[in-house]
Amino acid sequence: MSKKSKKPFNRILSGWGLLLSLCNVSLIGVGFSNWIYGTITSASADINASVGEVKNGNFFTMGSVNMFSLGPDGLVEDYAIVSSSTIEAIFYIDNALAYEFSNGGTLNFKAELSCSDSSFLSTYIGTNPSVSNSTSVNTSFSGNTLSSDVTYTVTSTGTSTVTITYQVTDDGTMNTYYSNKPTFAFAVRSK
């Protein structure tokens, strides 16, 4: 009887058993290969996207901002009390980069002067700044920011120096801000 029971078992091992053993070895091999390849932490590839072209729009470089001086008696300039002064912001435009964004050499950008005290800004800072070599300036006042939309002509080479001048006028009451001077921020960006 033992001979009969061994024959079917030998047949199972020789046919299906061998097949099951190979499947298990295959599955273990795939599992280990995924585990080994899964440890890659970085990869790079060149992608050529034809949907649109991204350009570097950083063609402005800040120069300096020259502020008015406020003393206990009002505006001070050259050690004298005056009734008017200026805030002067100077920045540079890389014409070669800006020309790519311009419309045939006409560049539109936004300049913003922000003040920590909106009342100070609306009372003492003029709303019509002058911009050197610009073709037009449209300014709006909103909250604590004076925004100017500027149209400027650029060439395809070189660097342009741009000066924006804001008029500051003291009506005799600015000295009340001497102990609590407001802070200002200037920004320029492409439109």
Side-chain angles (χ1 to χ4, degrees):
M1 214 181 218
S2 65
K3 281 187 176 185
K4 280 189 176 184
S5 64
K6 284 187 181 180
K7 283 187 180 184
F9 184 69
N10 286 341
R11 265 190 261 148
I12 291 173
L13 281 179
S14 64
W16 291 103
L18 180 62
L19 182 62
L20 287 174
S21 297
L22 289 175
C23 286
N24 285 338
V25 169
S26 171
L27 287 174
I28 291 171
V30 169
F32 278 118
S33 68
N34 282 338
W35 175 72
I36 291 169
Y37 291 122
T39 60
I40 296 174
T41 56
S42 66
S44 64
D46 293 330
I47 299 172
N48 185 7
S50 61
V51 175
E53 186 177 344
V54 177
K55 297 178 182 178
N56 179 7
N58 191 13
F59 41 83
F60 298 108
T61 304
M62 282 306 298
S64 62
V65 177
N66 303 315
M67 294 297 295
F68 60 92
S69 295
L70 181 60
D73 297 321
L75 283 175
V76 178
E77 193 168 300
D78 295 328
Y79 304 103
I81 303 298
V82 294
S83 61
S84 67
S85 187
T86 59
I87 299 172
E88 187 178 75
I90 301 168
F91 61 94
Y92 307 97
I93 300 175
D94 182 333
N95 288 336
L97 289 175
Y99 194 80
E100 291 181 38
F101 284 91
S102 70
N103 184 10
T106 302
L107 177 68
N108 295 311
F109 63 87
K110 182 179 287 289
E112 294 179 335
L113 178 68
S114 299
C115 180
S116 61
D117 187 322
S118 61
S119 178
F120 186 94
L121 186 65
S122 64
T123 304
Y124 302 110
I125 309 297
T127 58
N128 293 318
S130 65
V131 181
S132 62
N133 300 321
S134 69
T135 56
S136 75
V137 179
N138 294 316
T139 303
S140 62
F141 177 75
S142 175
N144 65 339
T145 303
L146 193 60
S147 297
S148 301
D149 293 323
V150 180
T151 303
Y152 195 87
T153 303
V154 293
T155 61
S156 60
T157 60
T159 301
S160 295
T161 302
V162 182
T163 304
I164 298 181
T165 305
Y166 298 90
Q167 193 65 38
V168 181
T169 306
D170 183 3
D171 61 1
T173 61
M174 191 183 288
N175 61 346
T176 59
Y177 284 92
Y178 178 69
S179 61
N180 190 21
K181 296 176 185 170
T183 57
F184 291 86
F186 178 80
V188 62
R189 62 181 60 74
S190 59
K191 286 178 57 178

